[in-house]
Amino acid sequence: AKTCGRDTFTRFTNEMDEKATHRMRLENDVRNAMRNGELHLYFQPVLRIRDGHMLGAETLLRWIHPQDGIIKPDKFLPLIEDSALMLKLAEWVMKEAFLQQARIAADRELMRPDYIAINLSHQQFHQPNFVAQVERMLEETGADPYRILFEITETIIMNDTHEARKQMLALKQRGFRFAI
């Protein structure tokens, strides 16, 4: 009823109960997946069409469920997007991508992308301690900020232009790049 506006009411239905139960079960499953090492990052190469040079790699999150196999993010992210679990998951993805970037850079036998792209969620980017969190992860992982590209949506910037600009400039000074 709250999402429909003021001065309204909604009747409880079994379907609403099923949706709430499904959401709670899924949140619990994602927490367990994080704990049990079922979440994995894949890197999809971004190639220059003219010569095939690998410009970068886009970070893709995959959940390899023990019974259900690969579960793509579009099946679980929308259901946890507004929960506190989303911040934990986004933090895990960023830290894991930083770790992988550092490992790739250290391995001379691998093709090294010019950058690794990481999608940032609105919730994640607008945390008051986001820049400090990124700097802490850099120290912990040894990642090269010049090889990290943060992908953000226009709405991230539009909600609080001044604060978004401040965050982006602080990270840009450390070497990070942005794609909008």
Side-chain angles (χ1 to χ4, degrees):
K2 284 183 181 180
T3 60
C4 293
R6 301 179 85 164
D7 301 323
T8 188
F9 67 92
T10 301
R11 188 179 325 156
F12 182 77
T13 65
N14 286 338
E15 183 181 314
M16 294 166 85
D17 185 46
E18 289 171 13
K19 281 183 179 179
T21 303
H22 176 68
R23 174 181 244 127
M24 286 175 44
R25 188 176 303 124
L26 186 67
E27 278 188 39
N28 192 43
D29 286 350
V30 172
R31 268 190 202 86
N32 288 335
M34 289 175 71
R35 211 174 300 122
N36 299 334
E38 297 170 13
L39 298 177
H40 303 275
L41 293 186
Y42 287 76
F43 296 98
Q44 179 173 302
V46 176
L47 306 175
R48 187 168 44 214
I49 292 173
R50 188 171 313 281
D51 59 9
H53 172 75
M54 183 169 35
L55 298 171
E58 185 175 354
T59 304
L60 304 175
L61 175 65
R62 294 295 180 261
W63 176 6
I64 302 179
H65 193 278
Q67 285 82 34
D68 300 333
I70 294 178
I71 301 174
K72 292 185 180 178
D74 64 338
K75 300 294 182 202
F76 63 92
L77 285 183
L79 295 174
I80 65 166
E81 215 161 35
D82 296 325
S83 72
L85 180 58
M86 185 63 189
L87 283 176
K88 288 181 183 173
L89 181 59
E91 183 178 343
W92 180 88
V93 167
M94 188 165 55
K95 186 170 185 178
E96 187 64 24
F98 281 20
L99 281 167
Q100 292 298 327
Q101 188 283 320
R103 288 180 187 143
I104 291 167
D107 190 335
R108 299 284 176 215
E109 293 182 22
L110 293 176
M111 284 183 67
R112 282 172 272 173
D114 294 343
Y115 65 84
I116 289 180
I118 304 167
N119 289 315
L120 297 180
S121 74
H122 180 274
Q123 219 178 348
Q124 179 183 24
F125 185 78
H126 286 292
Q127 292 181 92
N129 65 339
F130 179 67
V131 173
Q133 182 185 56
V134 170
E135 288 175 344
R136 180 179 44 80
M137 282 187 197
L138 270 182
E139 289 177 28
E140 292 173 2
T141 62
D144 180 355
Y146 292 93
R147 295 195 178 268
I148 302 287
L149 174 83
F150 287 130
E151 293 185 347
I152 59 175
T153 63
E154 296 88 349
T155 54
I156 286 177
I157 297 169
M158 299 308 291
N159 282 357
D160 187 350
T161 307
H162 177 72
E163 187 60 31
R165 185 175 188 277
K166 193 169 108 179
Q167 301 249 83
M168 290 173 72
L169 285 174
L171 291 168
K172 190 173 190 261
Q173 288 173 347
R174 293 280 284 147
F176 292 97
R177 294 185 278 170
F178 286 86
I180 300 171

